[in-house]
Amino acid sequence: MKKRFTLSLALLAGAWMVGCSSSSSASDEDSSSSSASYNSEDCTLSEKGVKILLPAGDEEYKIGDSITIVFVANYANANGFNVLYKANADDKGSELFTGSVGDVSPDGTECTEVKALLKEELTPSTEAFIRVQAYNAQKVRANSNTFTVKAK
């Protein structure tokens, strides 16, 4: 029941975001890439860790766009998760949220979906990716596939 409610809520939120996309700074093309979908059946993770479903890779965004990040995690001592934007593998990363996001003790049975703004201070890149890591254990983490972020 909880999973069905969460999925219904996510679909409702997604429909609302599509309806509000005209006020977004993203172009129609960018909006479609930022509203990529994922299969709710992928919202499971049996082993300890993190799996990122969105961004899936090869998307194209601009500084100022809002992106959707979806991940599933299984780590009892996480205390939530940090979400970092990394311009490339050598970048130390920039936190996209103040504090942690997601469940403090996820059991790998449902996804967390958050929206993040690509702020002006972030570096545009053709090798950008998102890192999601447990707040209490930075080694419990995952990286998304790479995507492109262009200057405004």
Side-chain angles (χ1 to χ4, degrees):
M1 181 71 171
K2 181 180 176 186
K3 196 178 268 189
R4 191 174 305 161
F5 175 75
T6 303
L7 180 57
S8 297
L9 190 58
L11 291 172
L12 182 61
W16 180 80
M17 288 302 292
V18 169
C20 294
S21 67
S22 62
S23 64
S24 167
S25 64
S27 69
D28 288 342
E29 185 177 316
D30 288 338
S31 294
S32 66
S33 66
S34 65
S35 63
S37 62
Y38 60 95
N39 187 339
S40 63
E41 292 173 5
D42 291 333
C43 291
T44 60
L45 187 62
S46 57
E47 66 276 354
K48 180 175 85 171
V50 179
K51 176 173 69 171
I52 300 175
L53 303 175
L54 291 178
D58 296 328
E59 295 94 344
E60 202 168 281
Y61 303 101
K62 292 184 301 194
I63 294 294
D65 283 351
S66 178
I67 66 169
T68 301
I69 301 160
V70 177
F71 66 94
V72 59
N74 186 349
Y75 188 65
N77 298 318
N79 203 25
F81 294 84
N82 284 336
V83 180
L84 304 170
Y85 169 85
K86 293 180 63 99
N88 57 51
D90 296 326
D91 184 12
K92 69 176 184 152
S94 300
E95 290 189 21
L96 294 178
F97 300 95
T98 303
S100 63
V101 299
D103 194 350
V104 296
S105 186
D107 62 4
T109 61
E110 61 185 72
C111 280
T112 298
E113 180 172 324
V114 293
K115 301 229 182 271
L117 179 67
L118 296 175
K119 301 176 207 167
E120 300 263 339
E121 60 267 13
L122 297 176
T123 305
S125 173
T126 58
E127 303 172 336
F129 62 95
I130 298 297
R131 173 172 287 168
V132 176
Q133 61 191 28
Y135 194 76
N136 282 344
Q138 293 182 358
K139 290 185 179 187
V140 177
R141 66 183 183 206
N143 295 332
S144 72
N145 292 321
T146 60
F147 53 89
T148 298
V149 175
K150 296 182 175 183
K152 196 168 190 181

